[in-house]
Amino acid sequence: MKCVMGKMISSGNEYERMLVDDGKIIALDNEKTAPQDAEVIELAQNQMLIPPLADCHTHFFQTGIYLGALDLSKISTKSELFSFLRWTTLNEYRIGEVVWAFGFDPQDNMPSADELQSIAPDVPIFLRRVDGHSCSLSSAAMKMLPAEFKNLPEDGIFSGEQQEKVVEYFLKKLDERTLIDAAFRVAEYAKSAGAFVVHSLVPFVEWAELLLKIEVKLPVKLEIFVETTDVERVKSLGLNQIGGCILLDGSFGSHTAAVSLPYDDEPQKNGVLYFTDDKLKKFFQAALNNDMAVAMHAIGDRAIEQYLRVAEYVAGENSLRRWRIEHSELISPEQIDRAANLGLNLSVQPAFENRWGGPDGLYAKRLGERWRRTNPFRREVDSGVLLLGGSDSYITPIDPVSGIFYAMHHPNERQRLNFKKSLDMFSKNVGIWMGKNFGEFKIGEIAEGVIVDGGFDGESPPEFELWNIE
Ligand SMILES: [Zn+2]
Ligand SMILES: [Zn+2]
């Protein structure tokens, strides 16, 4: 028997002693002494043991692909981009036939096809903006698009639905070996980041079938979401949920998130709704009839309103337990209460606030004073909504420990969560959503988790390591 002594946190409680036998937890309490025959393992003074964490929103294969792609996240202008591309051996970043580049968050503009052509003649480059809502193709990559792509933008900069089609086209060209490599790459990365469970959004049914085949060999547990409205097909795979980042609207960065009042910096725009109410009703009704939970991407308050309006219409007296709004960034207090009434979960990304929130961030630029209303975690928790924490990886890295930190350090002080509520988002709440034992230290469960050094009150997310006892 082994006896762990030190600070341990689980489901809102603090413990000082854990007894482990044969790799399983047999006791968790606040006794100060170890049983006589036990081997004692002491955590250091500044260490804290927390349960296994999860990431509830990842673009699974894309993350794996982008982990092998050219990373532009450190580059902030077009001229920096061009000198970087000049000095990079681009062919090392070919995935399939195309050089993939991602993470570009330009202060100025996305590069044009001609500009990319002059920097890297005849290299097919597919370069995505950090928020995933626009992309640039080089002239060589433009030429690869089949004839069904009509009215291509002359500058090679795509946004909106046309961008979605371009992404889909290049993704669908990837072969099975490339996809399996990508799956292992992201699963290993996630585990090393402390995410033992990964909610994996998959854009095509065929990819979900592939993932279901290899799932048991991966070092993490998955919950698979197929991003289609074909309920029967997904049901036949044995899944109880459908959707993911199926777009009701776009993003703030690209002025495509559907907002009820126009954008501050482009007052002629108020975003885009990609679904009609009718189409959404049919999808929700089919899901409800088949006992499937739906997850959809809605960022602006006008898109969230559409989700709620249609959900309320189809739900009648039913609770939509396990149904989710992904992101739900500009949700209003009134909408939070309606979400709580329906029993919805909100799947949120605290790292977005760290990256784009606050009075000087992108949200303030796009939304003006409304930056004070984005991601109201505190209000959501107070209303009894079950929050699920995620990264939206590849948009931000899989990193639940940082996610906990960012929820506690929300740029809007009134919306900060305390440590225990922040931890719940990435642990216990995920177990509740899955209806499985997860995210808590429980008797009979495997003794594993994450050791955090120095706590969450510092200037930046703490260091951590994976922990388990044989
Ligand atoms: Zn999304
Ligand atoms: Zn997403």
Side-chain angles (χ1 to χ4, degrees):
M1 191 204 301
K2 287 171 181 161
C3 173
V4 187
M5 306 290 284
K7 185 175 177 181
M8 292 163 247
I9 308 279
S10 175
S11 33
N13 299 313
E14 194 168 329
Y15 302 96
E16 288 173 46
R17 189 180 81 153
M18 180 192 283
L19 301 181
V20 178
D21 195 26
D22 208 14
K24 300 242 171 83
I25 300 171
I26 57 168
L28 189 63
D29 54 38
N30 284 307
E31 298 296 325
K32 307 269 185 266
T33 52
Q36 258 186 353
D37 55 340
E39 176 192 337
V40 177
I41 300 165
E42 279 198 73
L43 301 178
Q45 196 66 37
N46 68 336
Q47 286 183 327
M48 158 168 68
L49 177 59
I50 58 176
L53 303 175
D55 189 320
C56 291
H57 187 126
T58 68
H59 295 265
F60 191 77
F61 284 105
Q62 289 99 314
T63 300
I65 291 160
Y66 289 135
L67 283 170
L70 188 59
D71 177 5
L72 303 177
S73 59
K74 301 272 185 306
I75 293 167
S76 51
T77 63
K78 262 203 309 193
S79 62
E80 273 176 51
L81 172 73
F82 295 152
S83 55
F84 180 73
L85 292 180
R86 264 194 204 98
W87 291 102
T88 302
T89 312
L90 292 173
N91 282 330
E92 285 176 11
Y93 301 95
R94 258 184 216 260
I95 299 173
E97 296 157 48
V98 182
V99 172
W100 293 63
F102 85 115
F104 190 41
D105 193 4
Q107 285 164 8
D108 43 10
N109 304 308
M110 294 288 281
S112 72
D114 290 343
E115 286 170 327
L116 291 172
Q117 164 71 15
S118 67
I119 300 292
D122 301 326
V123 180
I125 301 175
F126 172 45
L127 187 157
R128 291 192 84 188
R129 198 192 147 84
V130 64
D131 65 8
H133 289 267
S134 48
C135 72
S136 295
L137 296 188
S138 66
S139 307
M142 293 269 279
K143 281 189 201 132
M144 293 172 71
L145 294 177
E148 72 226 42
F149 282 87
K150 297 195 181 73
N151 304 320
L152 298 178
E154 266 178 38
D155 59 5
I157 301 171
F158 294 74
S159 64
E161 279 175 83
Q162 207 179 24
Q163 198 245 178
E164 297 299 317
K165 288 212 179 79
V166 168
V167 175
E168 183 175 322
Y169 177 73
F170 284 118
L171 287 176
K172 275 205 162 148
K173 281 171 78 86
L174 299 174
D175 63 17
E176 191 169 299
R177 188 67 250 165
T178 306
L179 293 171
I180 292 173
D181 288 348
F184 276 92
R185 213 182 289 143
V186 58
E188 278 153 22
Y189 182 93
K191 186 66 181 280
S192 71
F196 292 59
V197 162
V198 179
H199 292 197
S200 307
L201 280 45
V202 176
F204 315 117
V205 178
E206 298 74 22
W207 287 16
E209 285 166 340
L210 175 64
L211 198 49
L212 284 163
K213 266 191 263 168
I214 61 170
E215 191 183 7
V216 291
K217 296 186 197 143
L218 299 174
V220 292
K221 295 252 179 339
L222 305 182
E223 288 282 345
I224 299 172
F225 289 74
V226 191
E227 298 178 294
T228 169
T229 55
D230 189 344
V231 173
E232 311 258 312
R233 182 93 194 269
V234 174
K235 181 90 181 169
S236 75
L237 300 179
L239 300 173
N240 297 319
Q241 64 273 337
I242 185 167
C245 265
I246 299 184
L247 302 181
L248 284 183
D249 66 346
S251 73
F252 294 134
S254 303
H255 294 98
T256 47
V259 285
S260 56
L261 297 169
Y263 282 95
D264 245 49
D265 57 344
E266 293 211 20
Q268 75 284 12
K269 291 186 179 164
N270 69 347
V272 194
L273 286 177
Y274 293 114
F275 273 66
T276 62
D277 277 22
D278 268 351
K279 191 175 166 197
L280 197 57
K281 264 178 208 165
K282 285 196 186 105
F283 176 37
F284 279 12
Q285 196 64 61
L288 195 65
N289 294 345
N290 284 281
D291 208 13
M292 303 269 282
V294 174
M296 290 192 87
H297 161 125
I299 284 183
D301 53 351
R302 200 155 59 85
I304 294 162
E305 185 63 30
Q306 186 183 36
Y307 186 113
L308 292 172
R309 181 170 66 233
V310 175
E312 283 163 349
Y313 177 86
V314 300
E317 296 303 304
N318 295 300
S319 159
L320 298 183
R321 211 178 56 79
R322 294 184 77 249
W323 286 49
R324 309 172 19 166
I325 306 180
E326 305 300 309
H327 318 304
S328 62
E329 291 202 76
L330 196 62
I331 191 167
S332 73
E334 184 257 343
Q335 289 172 332
I336 293 171
D337 293 338
R338 286 161 65 201
N341 264 333
L342 283 164
L344 298 180
N345 299 137
L346 300 180
S347 162
V348 300
Q349 294 77 38
F352 285 6
E353 279 299 321
N354 170 63
R355 190 176 287 189
W356 295 303
D360 305 314
L362 173 78
Y363 293 166
K365 197 168 152 201
R366 293 284 187 269
L367 301 169
E369 272 302 296
R370 279 171 290 177
W371 74 265
R372 294 175 195 279
R373 286 183 34 208
T374 55
N375 294 300
F377 300 147
R378 181 69 183 276
R379 178 67 168 77
E380 289 162 350
V381 167
D382 287 349
S383 304
V385 176
L386 193 78
L387 294 185
L388 302 168
S391 63
D392 204 3
S393 169
Y394 55 92
I395 307 292
T396 72
I398 297 174
D399 187 357
V401 171
S402 291
I404 294 167
F405 178 87
Y406 294 136
M408 295 169 66
H409 295 258
H410 196 303
N412 179 355
E413 284 180 36
R414 295 173 56 184
Q415 298 303 343
R416 286 180 182 168
L417 294 181
N418 65 26
F419 168 62
K420 285 169 183 167
K421 297 285 185 211
S422 303
L423 174 62
D424 285 351
M425 268 165 75
F426 289 90
S427 56
K428 184 183 142 197
N429 293 359
V430 188
I432 296 172
W433 185 87
M434 296 192 296
K436 292 177 185 159
N437 275 335
F438 176 77
E440 296 174 88
F441 293 130
K442 277 194 174 160
I443 310 299
E445 293 292 306
I446 296 171
E448 60 181 4
V450 176
I451 287 187
V452 177
D453 286 323
F456 288 84
D457 295 325
E459 292 287 305
S460 54
E463 301 282 320
F464 63 91
E465 59 194 289
L466 298 187
W467 176 86
N468 77 328
I469 285 190
E470 300 287 284

